[in-house]
Structures are given as C-alpha cells and as structure tokens.
Amino acid sequence: MTAEDFILKSYHTDLQNGTVKWASPSNIALVKYWGKKADQIPENPSISFTLSNCKTLTEISFTKKEDDGFQFDVYFEGEKNEAFRPKIQTFFERIAVYMPFLKDYHFKIDTSNTFPHSSGIASSASGMSAIALCLMSIEAQLSEESNALSSDSAYFKQKASFLARLGSGSACRSIEGELVVWGANESIKDSSDLYGVRFTESVHPNFKNYQDTILLVDKGEKQVSSTVGHQLMYGHPFAQERFKQAHDNLAKLKAVLASGDLEAFITIVESEALTLHAMMMTSLPYFILMKPNTLEIINKIWAYREAQHSKLCFTLDAGANVHLLYPEQEKENVLEFIKNELVSYCQNEHYICDEIGLGANQI
C-alpha cells in the first residue's frame, strides 16, 4: 500500500448527521521508536504490546454544514477543552487530502480515558487512534468506493492506522493487538513505515496474557514533549547506530517471541528502555527523564529477579514511570512484591494493573 491508496476519491454528501464511537487502547513499545523523518515516518521500526484496560473512549457527532474550513468542538470528560484544539487542528490539516469530507461537517469530539488524566500515562496513542477510527467509521458511511468496507476489513484497519500515525506516531500501533510492528523491517513480512501491522508470526504460550503493571513515579507534565525528543535525534552522534540497533533487536525479538526464551526477552526489552534514555542523556540539549525513584525501582526489580528466579522485567517510555512486564503465572507474587517494596516509590502510591489486549473496538 502507498499513501495514494488511502485517498478517498469520491463520496456522497447526503448524510446530514450521525454519531460514531470507538474505544482504543494505549500501547507500550518493546523495541522503541525514537527519531522520525517528515510526515511522521519513523527512523527505525518498533514493536509494542497493545494494552487492554488503559484506553480512550471517543464519540464523534457530526452535522452537515455549508461553509468551508474545519469546524469542531472538543470535550474531555464532559467539559469543553480548548487545550486539545491545536493538535486536532493540525491532525485535520494533515489528513484532509485523505478525507476531504472533513470540511463538509461540524464535529463534536467527546473523549475520556479509562485511566486518570493526571496519571502520567501518555494518552496520545489511544486518543489519536480513537479519533482516526471514528473518522473511518464516518468515511465508511459516506464512501462510494468498495474499499471502505466493514471495520473488520484490512483496508479499514490499515487506513485507520495510517491516519492515526499522522496524529501521533505511536498511535498507529493501537488499532490492533496483541503485538504490533510499525516501520519497515526485513524480518517482518508486510511491515511498513506508513502504518502498523499486527504481528502474525509465531508467539510462544509464555507470552499469552502477559502482564503490564505501570508504576506511576511522576504524574506531572512530561519534561520533554515527544516531538522535541524525536527532533533531538537529528544530528545525534549515535543516531545511526541506534537505528541499526533497533532493526537488529526487532529481528532478535521475533525469534525470542517464537521460542519463548524469557531470559532473552528480558535482555532485549530492558536494553531498549535504557538505550532510549541514554539517547536523551547524550543529545544536545541533554535531558535526564528518570527520577531517583525510577532508579530505586529498577534496582529493586533486579534484586527481586535474582532472589526469586523471576522473569519480571521493566520497560520505560520517555519519562519516569516504570512498566513492569511479567508472565501471568507470576501475577500474584509480583503484585505482592509491588505492595511490599515498590509502592512507596510511586507518587501517592499509585499504580495501574493492565495486560496485553486485542486492540480497538467499536461501541
């Protein structure tokens, strides 16, 4: 598929109004995407676990209008929210060529998260993917082409992921589950820079119902926005080697997911997390995104793993919070470990329990 394949070439305008609603999850990258080219194209491939409980619920109501230009109102958890307008305006501008009907309607976008807004969990992936899916459902009602089929069709999912990417890069990995790859890679069939693809290779039962408990070390606003963080890779002295490393790690992880080698999984995932932070610490300007409690938690995890012969590991996003990844059979013991030794390092003792999910669904 190319970008041109996603251009809606003809549609009817008989539809006067309507409402659509989707729930779309967040995701956590195992191999990290860090650095992008123009048009939200990744510098390196990534693969992520789709989450189950941490999701965004978005309802879009639309009404036919006569004047030109984009018109929309945004509501967050029932209240009008002007802070979200600039990002959605930019998103509409980026996708207008693919969805020309956007200027024919006034949209009311009503969105909420199943996780607390102040939790420190990035909601851009779940939020932008939910909007993209709603717009695809509207396109399906308007389209005169055979491409826009049901929400289960490959084209529907590919275009939703393609659009979501133009709102937030990682959002393209939130359409499907359980594992999603974004970025062309020789080892992954049909992988693409344009949209995320479901990982359909063999996955060992060790990874079935894998758990993700998120320790909320810092609920504050991100120290560095993702956009700024990605830009710091331009001219970074280690950037090219990092991009190569990501390709290599994705190929290695493919073999690990098939074999069920949890030790090798831990090595790749923790290395990827620390490499992401190392790239930020060695950029200009440089940033340390971890907090003292992040490091305390990591050391506690390492000590616990050695003492208990556990397969618990961690990963990090571009912030201070820690994702604990572990097999389902360790859930009881790990939760006890969190309560006894880790919760004191969390802001307000707050953590969220989640697990691998199957992707977005229409409501």
Side-chain angles (χ1 to χ4, degrees):
M1 299 288 284
T2 67
E4 287 70 28
D5 294 319
F6 294 122
I7 296 175
L8 179 62
K9 296 178 176 64
S10 62
Y11 63 98
H12 68 82
T13 57
D14 300 335
L15 190 62
Q16 295 298 308
N17 55 69
T19 301
V20 294
K21 188 173 184 178
W22 278 83
S24 190
S26 188
N27 66 76
I28 179 64
L30 306 175
V31 173
K32 306 295 185 180
Y33 138 67
W34 202 242
K36 61 186 176 183
K37 306 171 188 176
D39 300 322
Q40 298 284 93
I41 298 297
E43 287 278 11
N44 67 264
S46 58
I47 184 170
S48 60
F49 276 147
T50 306
L51 298 183
S52 178
N53 302 325
C54 292
K55 61 181 67 175
T56 297
L57 311 177
T58 297
E59 180 178 272
I60 296 185
S61 302
F62 55 98
T63 306
K64 188 77 179 293
K65 66 180 181 66
E66 297 299 329
D67 52 323
D68 196 23
F70 302 120
Q71 286 188 13
F72 60 88
D73 294 309
V74 187
Y75 291 80
F76 180 70
E77 298 185 346
E79 295 188 6
K80 200 165 187 178
N81 189 300
E82 295 298 322
F84 291 166
R85 284 191 65 86
K87 186 162 189 174
I88 295 176
Q89 176 72 27
T90 299
F91 179 49
F92 276 22
E93 291 169 359
R94 287 176 177 172
I95 68 173
V97 65
Y98 307 104
M99 297 190 132
F101 65 83
L102 290 178
K103 294 184 178 180
D104 297 329
Y105 293 90
H106 177 276
F107 300 94
K108 179 188 176 185
I109 303 169
D110 200 336
T111 187
S112 62
N113 296 328
T114 61
F115 49 92
H117 182 56
S118 61
S119 68
I121 298 176
S123 59
S124 58
S126 56
M128 297 310 295
S129 58
I131 293 174
L133 286 159
C134 286
L135 294 177
M136 279 303 300
S137 288
I138 297 171
E139 176 180 303
Q141 297 179 53
L142 296 173
S143 176
E144 296 173 345
E145 301 177 359
S146 59
N147 280 339
L149 302 173
S150 72
S151 59
D152 292 328
S153 73
Y155 178 85
F156 186 103
K157 293 174 182 176
Q158 285 178 344
K159 183 168 179 178
S161 181
F162 172 86
L163 296 171
R165 185 197 95 241
L166 294 171
S168 172
S170 60
C172 75
R173 298 191 309 247
S174 283
I175 305 299
E176 297 190 87
E178 302 169 320
L179 288 148
V180 176
V181 175
W182 172 39
N185 177 265
E186 291 181 357
S187 69
I188 307 295
K189 183 182 177 183
D190 299 326
S191 56
S192 172
D193 288 342
L194 297 179
Y195 47 82
V197 298
R198 186 170 174 265
F199 183 81
T200 57
E201 306 286 345
S202 174
V203 177
H204 193 277
N206 281 351
F207 297 104
K208 182 176 176 59
N209 297 329
Y210 224 68
Q211 304 293 298
D212 178 10
T213 299
I214 307 151
L215 305 183
L216 303 175
V217 174
D218 183 7
K219 301 182 187 180
E221 187 175 342
K222 293 168 67 174
Q223 182 183 349
V224 183
S225 72
S226 294
T227 298
V228 172
H230 288 294
Q231 290 173 347
L232 292 173
M233 292 299 283
Y234 299 146
H236 194 296
F238 309 133
Q240 295 307 313
E241 188 61 29
R242 163 58 198 155
F243 302 148
K244 178 180 180 298
Q245 180 193 45
H247 278 276
D248 293 343
N249 278 345
L250 181 52
K252 291 175 183 176
L253 191 60
K254 174 185 171 182
V256 166
L257 290 169
S259 70
D261 186 343
L262 291 172
E263 293 287 352
F265 177 82
I266 290 169
T267 298
I268 293 170
V269 168
E270 291 191 346
S271 173
E272 277 285 318
L274 295 174
T275 298
L276 169 64
H277 283 256
M279 297 306 288
M280 292 297 290
M281 285 189 276
T282 52
S283 63
L284 286 175
Y286 40 80
F287 296 92
I288 298 177
L289 302 183
M290 296 185 198
K291 300 293 185 182
N293 282 359
T294 308
L295 295 174
E296 292 286 353
I297 289 169
I298 290 172
N299 281 309
K300 289 279 188 179
I301 291 168
W302 287 340
Y304 173 85
R305 193 162 67 217
E306 182 175 0
Q308 302 298 324
H309 306 289
S310 169
K311 303 305 180 187
L312 169 68
C313 70
F314 70 87
T315 189
L316 309 165
D317 273 336
N321 298 332
V322 182
H323 289 249
L324 303 185
L325 302 177
Y326 51 96
E328 185 179 31
Q329 60 264 33
E330 290 197 39
K331 183 175 181 178
E332 184 178 346
N333 289 340
V334 170
L335 290 179
E336 192 67 22
F337 167 56
I338 292 169
K339 292 174 186 175
N340 291 339
E341 298 194 43
L342 301 184
V343 72
S344 61
Y345 298 108
C346 301
Q347 189 171 342
N348 299 325
E349 299 191 344
H350 194 180
Y351 61 94
I352 296 174
C353 295
D354 211 331
E355 61 186 3
I356 295 181
L358 299 177
N361 62 285
Q362 189 167 11
I363 302 172

